[in-house]
């Protein structure tokens, strides 16, 4: 796997997931499903399922079915790097999810998009440690 392929993949995901946050905020979509995800996030063993559910429910709330389909195809699971344990990864990712959710709750589209973009690009940097 070449660095460029990983980078390309995550840059596209970051742009599309940021856009999903923007659309959710513009539509003032309901947040119940995302909030339910937040409540179930404390278990590191099930973190992969929770993580996917958190992202998926944001995509759904965007109201753009094409975006949901494209992001579903791009989904790559947890991006755990070499320097991180599963528990450390879950804690770091969860803290970022909380920041994203705080911005979504007040429908701050630009701030939510930026938090999501940072979250995805941090994941990219984590996974790239596997190929250094």
């Amino acid at each position: 796997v070449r660095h460029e392929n990983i980078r390309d993949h995550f840059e596209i995901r970051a742009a599309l997931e940021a856009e999903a946050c923007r659309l959710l905020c513009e539509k003032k979509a309901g947040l119940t499903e995302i909030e339910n995800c937040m409540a179930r996030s404390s278990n590191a063993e099930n973190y992969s399922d929770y993580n996917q559910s958190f992202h998926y429910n944001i995509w759904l709330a965007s109201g753009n079915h094409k975006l949901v389909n494209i992001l579903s195809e791009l989904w790559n699971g947890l991006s755990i790097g070499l320097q991180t344990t599963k528990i450390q990864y879950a804690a770091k990712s969860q803290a970022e999810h909380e920041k994203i959710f705080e911005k979504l709750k007040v429908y701050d589209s630009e701030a939510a998009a930026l938090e999501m973009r940072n979250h995805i690009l941090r994941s990219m940097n984590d996974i790239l440690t596997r190929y250094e």
Side-chain angles (χ1 to χ4, degrees):
V1 179
R2 292 188 14 243
H3 281 89
E4 294 81 26
N5 293 346
I6 294 169
R7 204 171 290 286
D8 289 352
H9 174 90
F10 277 91
E11 286 171 353
I12 291 294
R13 254 193 75 198
L16 295 177
E17 293 217 40
E19 187 59 22
C21 288
R22 277 192 195 90
L23 291 170
L24 178 162
C25 290
E26 287 168 12
K27 294 171 181 170
K28 299 220 180 323
L31 301 172
T32 306
E33 292 302 320
I34 302 164
E35 197 159 17
N36 290 344
C37 287
M38 297 298 292
R40 294 193 312 266
S41 66
S42 59
N43 184 345
E45 277 309 300
N46 298 338
Y47 193 75
S48 182
D49 295 340
Y50 151 75
N51 183 55
Q52 186 166 4
S53 181
F54 175 80
H55 286 268
Y56 183 71
N57 281 295
I58 290 173
W59 309 342
L60 282 181
S62 78
N64 185 313
H65 300 294
K66 187 75 171 169
L67 188 62
V68 173
N69 290 340
I70 293 168
L71 282 166
S72 294
E73 287 178 24
L74 290 173
W75 186 253
N76 55 286
L78 297 181
S79 307
I80 300 175
L82 289 178
Q83 292 100 0
T84 311
T85 67
K86 196 171 183 179
I87 290 170
Q88 289 169 325
Y89 184 88
K92 181 169 34 175
S93 181
Q94 177 56 20
E96 293 167 355
H97 286 183
E98 287 168 11
K99 285 183 184 175
I100 294 163
F101 189 61
E102 287 306 308
K103 303 305 181 191
L104 293 176
K105 281 197 303 196
V106 294
Y107 298 110
D108 185 338
S109 62
E110 287 310 308
L114 182 63
E115 292 292 349
M116 180 60 83
R117 183 174 188 283
N118 291 341
H119 174 58
I120 302 297
L121 294 179
R122 191 269 312 144
S123 293
M124 175 189 75
N125 289 326
D126 276 2
I127 201 74
L128 283 172
T129 64
R130 295 187 166 276
Y131 302 97
E132 287 172 351

